């Protein structure tokens, strides 16, 4: 149901603030996070009659547009690269029993492969891995069809895997573990 009053807006805000905050933290420079989240919810209030029953994808899409239009600070790629270094296992790139030195090398290679991806590939993968959105919801965030999102995700996975394979071939540590 659309947000008709302040109480309903407060419910939506409380239910989704943390998700939107995490979404923005993964993409924006830390100095800009509060402004982007605030502007996202300000937009939700201003457009409250347009907010769908399931507001989470709509809020993510709005936050994404705010970030794209902001033009402030460092590119969100920097924030994503840091996050991927901290959670390198998200792509299943690490075998369960690898010595810590090899894991560090793997993480560095994964971070380098991630940084080499186009922003569009990073965004598609991030929506899938970190936000754990369904294809339908991720498509809403990106403003495309579910089929287009699925194709983009498949292609982004292939490009990341290709870059990781190229790195593994060049790295004796990774080649020994893969």
């Amino acid at each position: 149901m659309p947000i008709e009053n302040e109480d309903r807006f407060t419910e939506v805000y409380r239910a989704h603030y943390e998700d939107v905050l995490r979404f923005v933290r993964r993409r924006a420079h830390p100095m800009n996070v509060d402004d982007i989240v605030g502007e996202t919810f300000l937009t939700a209030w201003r457009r409250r009659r347009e907010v769908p029953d399931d507001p989470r994808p709509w809020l993510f899409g709005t936050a994404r547009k705010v970030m794209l239009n902001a033009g402030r600070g460092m590119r969100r790629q920097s924030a994503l690269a840091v996050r991927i270094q901290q959670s390198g296992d998200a792509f299943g790139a690490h075998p369960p029993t690898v010595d810590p030195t090899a894991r560090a090398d793997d993480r560095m290679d994964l971070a380098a492969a991630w940084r080499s991806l186009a922003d569009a590939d990073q965004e598609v993968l991030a929506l899938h891995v970190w936000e754990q959105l369904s294809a339908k919801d991720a498509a809403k965030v990106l403003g495309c069809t579910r089929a287009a999102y699925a194709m983009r995700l498949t292609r982004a996975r292939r490009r990341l895997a290709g870059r990781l394979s190229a790195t593994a071939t060049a790295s004796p540590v990774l080649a020994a573990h893969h």
Side-chain angles (χ1 to χ4, degrees):
M1 87 181 125
I3 299 173
E4 293 292 335
N5 59 44
E6 191 173 330
D7 290 338
R8 175 72 177 124
F9 178 81
T10 301
E11 287 174 27
V12 168
Y13 179 85
R14 286 184 179 152
H16 299 286
Y17 175 82
E18 290 297 323
D19 288 340
V20 172
L21 182 64
R22 278 190 299 276
F23 179 86
V24 173
R25 279 183 178 159
R26 291 181 180 127
R27 290 161 177 78
H29 188 277
M31 289 178 51
N32 299 329
V33 169
D34 290 336
D35 290 340
I36 293 167
V37 172
E39 192 168 335
T40 298
F41 281 101
L42 178 60
T43 301
W45 174 253
R46 288 180 178 156
R47 298 178 63 193
R48 61 190 171 271
R49 287 176 179 76
E50 299 170 35
V51 177
D53 291 339
D54 179 10
R56 190 170 179 251
W58 188 92
L59 289 167
F60 285 175
T62 300
R64 181 174 178 269
K65 288 173 188 165
V66 169
M67 286 184 280
L68 290 173
N69 292 332
R72 299 175 279 182
M74 302 166 76
R75 299 182 56 79
R76 69 180 183 269
Q77 179 178 331
S78 299
L80 286 172
V82 169
R83 286 287 182 194
I84 198 167
Q85 287 175 335
Q86 293 172 351
S87 60
D89 290 334
F91 291 106
H94 306 297
T97 56
V98 176
D99 75 71
T101 305
R103 286 187 59 127
D105 289 342
D106 285 356
R107 281 184 160 192
M108 289 174 25
D109 290 337
L110 179 60
W114 179 266
R115 283 190 304 271
S116 74
L117 291 173
D119 287 347
D121 285 344
Q122 290 179 0
E123 186 68 16
V124 168
L125 290 166
L127 290 171
H128 177 71
V129 174
W130 288 310
E131 309 314 333
Q132 298 178 348
L133 291 177
S134 68
K136 177 183 165 191
D137 288 345
K140 285 181 191 176
V141 171
L142 296 175
C144 65
T145 66
R146 185 185 176 286
Y149 169 77
M151 181 67 73
R152 290 178 190 179
L153 179 60
T154 298
R155 290 177 178 165
R157 284 176 170 164
R158 283 185 193 145
R159 284 190 275 270
L160 180 61
R163 286 181 170 89
L164 286 171
S165 294
T167 305
T169 305
S171 167
V173 172
L174 274 179
H177 293 293
H178 292 280

